[in-house]
Amino acid sequence: MAKNDNATEGTFSAAPFISFDGADENGNRAEVKVVVGYGDVVSVVDSANGKTKKVEFAVSNTKFNPSGWTRSPQLQALIAKAQETNEPIHFRLETRRKEGIDRATPIGDLGGLATAKDSIVKSLAAVKLEGDEDWTLSADAVTRIDEDPNTGGLYNANTQPKAEKPSARNENSGNSRNGAFEPAPYVAIWKDKVNPGTTAVAVPINFLTTLLEHSRQTGLTIERDRLKEIALTLMKIANLLQKDIYVKHLQVDYPGLDLTAGSHTRARALIFETMRSFAPLTENELNDEQAFAKWQKTIYTTAYSIWVWGMESVEEYIL
């Protein structure tokens, strides 16, 4: 997305990251997508019932205007002050699941245009005027600011004592009922061993099972070691897609590979769909090295082009 020359210089919207809400009755914490930034307040619109307001910000590093809903009088007052003084304000947006939505489902899987309205809420969780030391939190905020990556019913993390819940960054804490049996999925190494429940294990297995299903549907016979090899090849393509959507398309800094991020979930989904609909694996690709290399390139370019189209469609037709 192109730079927004109408926004105040120095405003920005950072890349989203995954945090977690408070622990439920089983000790489990659900994923929440968080975006922080610093932007000009360009729009405040009342909801149909007048109870909440949608606040939209302009930032200089993209034409996409971040936005979120709030019913907090305190946040609304600070937003009004920023508008009156024509000064940018720091904002924190949370995309969380609605009550009743499976808490084990990755938040990135709930954001499709067909399901988002019924599955997720995009809220303005906190704001801070330039010069203020502390954030003003909405009562609807569900993540802890002190668990952000750079600082090392709904289940609100802010209403629970920190010592009584698993920390989102503590590799010895877990999501199991006793809180210590198994660490959270984003922890790859635990006690010098591979965490069996980590996303890092799930991703190559997902590619392998997709290939197995593909072979059953097409009648294609793929030798076991070759299956593993292709699965890891597809995983590398997904890693590259995640990197390039930031570096090539958004032209922003890439923080590094994150298998738990919604962008990697999207990359994997696009690869799966490309294999099903546009570039099925055939005997030719299996038996010819050049054909296999061409197939890999087709998977990447097709998935990347669909992703870019989707992002541009949001900017052009929805926002």
Side-chain angles (χ1 to χ4, degrees):
M1 296 181 184
K3 179 180 177 182
N4 185 356
D5 294 325
N6 295 320
T8 300
E9 185 176 356
T11 56
F12 69 94
S13 177
F17 60 88
I18 299 298
S19 188
F20 297 85
D21 65 7
D24 62 15
E25 63 273 9
N26 294 320
N28 298 319
R29 301 180 69 185
E31 287 187 353
V32 179
K33 185 172 75 171
V34 178
V35 173
V36 295
Y38 180 59
D40 301 309
V41 180
V42 293
S43 175
V44 179
V45 179
D46 287 331
S47 64
N49 59 19
K51 293 182 179 180
T52 60
K53 296 180 183 293
K54 182 180 181 182
V55 184
E56 185 176 327
F57 304 92
V59 295
S60 62
N61 62 329
T62 174
K63 286 187 176 181
F64 168 75
N65 285 345
S67 63
W69 293 89
T70 181
R71 59 179 177 176
S72 167
Q74 293 82 7
L75 266 63
Q76 291 178 18
L78 291 172
I79 290 294
K81 185 175 181 180
Q83 281 188 299
E84 291 170 5
T85 59
N86 200 29
E87 292 290 331
I89 189 171
H90 296 270
F91 59 86
R92 178 183 181 86
L93 303 173
E94 292 179 342
T95 300
R96 53 177 169 79
R97 69 202 66 228
K98 291 185 176 181
E99 293 185 77
I101 300 300
D102 184 6
R103 291 173 58 74
T105 303
I107 193 66
D109 291 350
L110 300 175
L113 295 180
T115 60
K117 183 178 179 181
D118 297 323
S119 303
I120 62 174
V121 175
K122 191 172 183 179
S123 66
L124 179 59
V127 297
K128 181 173 66 172
L129 292 170
E130 183 70 9
D132 286 353
E133 182 176 351
D134 297 320
W135 289 87
T136 297
L137 276 173
S138 165
D140 295 320
V142 298
T143 62
R144 294 190 70 107
I145 293 176
D146 57 1
E147 291 179 345
D148 287 0
N150 61 331
T151 62
L154 297 175
Y155 300 88
N156 193 327
N158 293 285
T159 62
Q160 301 175 20
K162 192 173 182 183
E164 295 182 7
K165 64 175 185 57
S167 166
R169 297 298 159 193
N170 183 353
E171 67 171 18
N172 293 315
S173 65
N175 284 345
S176 60
R177 292 188 178 185
N178 65 16
F181 171 68
E182 183 176 295
Y186 53 77
V187 178
I189 304 299
W190 185 52
K191 296 182 179 180
D192 297 324
K193 304 289 185 181
V194 174
N195 170 19
T198 182
T199 305
V201 171
V203 171
I205 291 175
N206 287 345
F207 278 118
L208 185 68
T209 56
T210 298
L211 283 168
L212 287 169
E213 180 62 26
H214 185 74
S215 66
R216 283 193 291 269
Q217 292 179 351
T218 61
L220 187 65
T221 300
I222 309 177
E223 187 265 338
R224 180 179 298 181
D225 288 341
R226 183 65 165 149
L227 273 171
K228 297 175 182 178
E229 176 187 320
I230 298 172
L232 292 178
T233 296
L234 292 172
M235 181 174 172
K236 291 175 182 178
I237 294 174
N239 297 347
L240 183 61
L241 282 168
Q242 182 188 55
K243 176 182 178 180
D244 284 353
I245 205 67
Y246 282 101
V247 176
K248 291 173 60 176
H249 184 62
L250 294 178
Q251 297 183 348
V252 298
D253 290 337
Y254 174 59
L257 176 65
D258 187 348
L259 299 177
T260 67
S263 56
H264 204 279
T265 302
R266 180 69 57 232
R268 300 195 298 268
L270 287 169
I271 288 174
F272 297 154
E273 188 57 46
T274 298
M275 284 182 60
R276 283 192 296 265
S277 301
F278 302 105
L281 188 63
T282 67
E283 290 281 356
N284 186 42
E285 284 81 32
L286 281 178
N287 299 322
D288 186 280
E289 187 174 333
Q290 288 186 342
F292 184 67
K294 184 178 179 181
W295 178 78
Q296 293 178 61
K297 185 176 181 179
T298 299
I299 293 290
Y300 169 86
T301 55
T302 304
Y304 181 81
S305 65
I306 295 173
W307 200 349
V308 170
W309 172 83
M311 293 176 69
E312 291 175 344
S313 296
V314 171
E315 181 174 309
E316 184 175 354
Y317 298 112
I318 296 174
L319 298 175

